[in-house]
Amino acid sequence: EGLRLAPVVDSSTSIALDDPAMVPSAVTDLVSQVPGVAEAGQGGLCQSFAVRGMSGQRISALVLDVPILTERRAGAALSFIDPLLLDRVEVVRGPASTLYGSSAMGGVIQALPRRFETLMVDVGYETTGSERHAAVALGEGPWSVGVAARRRDRSESASGAELNDAFTQASAVLDGVWKIGGKTIGVTLAPSDGHDIGKDNTDYPSRTTTYPRERHVIFKVAIETEQWRAALFAHPNSLDTEVVRDNGGHLVALKWTMKA
């Protein structure tokens, strides 16, 4: 358990995800319910967040203490991991640079994967965008593994206008913890693969922004004793972007890829 405890301060909130029926589709939908936290940028699965009016590179986004770095102006999003695979999300409102580095001037959003100890199966359907999801997880001994898949079609606004918020996504978390000779050793692997992720904005459909593919792999090894703690991690990721503009009946498409 010590490997997944994060430092907290007075202005922090811990959101437990212990009821699958109440878990939203994305982490952003969850943290935006916290006072002082709001959605930022344009809508869709990759929407980021603002803490007390600060967003972008001033907010530190973490998964199990692994920093999520991005070149997106809107800042990092944490919705590449399905919320059904998370134990809790911790929100630090306000400056936290002392604990988390210079990127946490405005606050911190941290997602902590769940360690499953029994069989979990969850299948659901939402009328909004005909969204459907399925998740299965199992834990035994030192190992825990969870896999989730989620898909949404384009939904409609209250006025009946089509929204560009469709997506297809699959993610998993493999976790192992051992206690050897007074040391706690933990290994975590969390891959994610998203396809055709829509970015909703007021310019749609004259301007359509889509992320054809988003890929993440988080790998972490941590060793901890009562006196010290060390960790080694990697987070290769890539995001493909496609923007299609309708210029008087002539479609202009722009494509690019960001990698880290």
Side-chain angles (χ1 to χ4, degrees):
E1 285 300 316
L3 289 172
R4 51 184 64 250
L5 292 177
V8 295
V9 295
D10 291 339
S11 300
S12 65
T13 301
S14 182
I15 309 169
L17 301 176
D18 50 6
D19 185 357
M22 302 299 293
V23 174
S25 303
V27 172
T28 303
D29 297 332
L30 181 70
V31 299
S32 61
Q33 302 173 20
V34 177
V37 182
E39 298 174 344
Q42 297 171 332
L45 185 68
C46 291
Q47 187 170 28
S48 56
F49 28 72
V51 179
R52 292 180 175 176
M54 302 186 74
S55 60
Q57 306 303 324
R58 296 181 177 89
I59 304 298
S60 180
L62 307 170
V63 175
L64 198 62
D65 289 333
V66 177
I68 307 303
L69 305 178
T70 179
E71 295 297 323
R72 295 178 63 214
R73 289 181 298 174
L78 294 177
S79 296
F80 59 89
I81 297 182
D82 196 289
L84 289 170
L85 302 180
L86 298 178
D87 176 65
R88 65 186 187 274
V89 177
E90 304 211 343
V91 181
V92 178
R93 302 182 300 279
S97 300
T98 301
L99 291 175
Y100 296 95
S102 59
S103 62
M105 293 178 59
V108 178
I109 308 291
Q110 168 143 233
L112 298 172
R114 179 180 303 181
R115 181 167 176 79
F116 297 93
E117 297 180 353
T118 59
L119 176 65
M120 186 277 287
V121 178
D122 188 281
V123 178
Y125 174 83
E126 295 182 20
T127 56
T128 303
S130 298
E131 182 177 322
R132 49 273 193 203
H133 71 264
V136 60
L138 178 65
E140 183 176 358
W143 291 103
S144 168
V145 60
V147 180
R150 193 178 295 264
R151 182 170 184 174
R152 173 191 284 182
D153 301 327
R154 286 174 176 168
S155 61
E156 293 184 353
S157 66
S159 62
E162 186 179 63
L163 302 176
N164 186 31
D165 58 355
F167 67 86
T168 300
Q169 185 188 72
S171 57
V173 176
L174 174 65
D175 185 73
V177 177
W178 300 267
K179 293 185 180 296
I180 303 173
K183 300 181 181 66
T184 301
I185 302 173
V187 177
T188 302
L189 177 66
S192 173
D193 196 352
H195 294 267
D196 301 323
I197 302 171
K199 181 179 181 181
D200 192 35
N201 54 49
T202 56
D203 295 330
Y204 177 79
S206 60
R207 174 178 172 173
T208 303
T209 301
T210 306
Y211 302 113
R213 193 169 189 186
E214 181 191 27
R215 288 165 287 187
H216 293 262
V217 177
I218 294 177
F219 175 74
K220 179 180 178 180
V221 178
I223 303 176
E224 181 177 310
T225 68
E226 294 183 357
Q227 291 77 32
W228 55 269
R229 182 172 184 267
L232 175 67
F233 61 82
H235 174 223
N237 64 92
S238 65
L239 179 66
D240 299 336
T241 305
E242 181 180 66
V243 179
V244 179
R245 295 190 178 95
D246 186 354
N247 293 340
H250 300 283
L251 297 180
V252 178
L254 302 174
K255 299 181 181 180
W256 64 91
T257 299
M258 291 188 298
K259 295 184 178 181

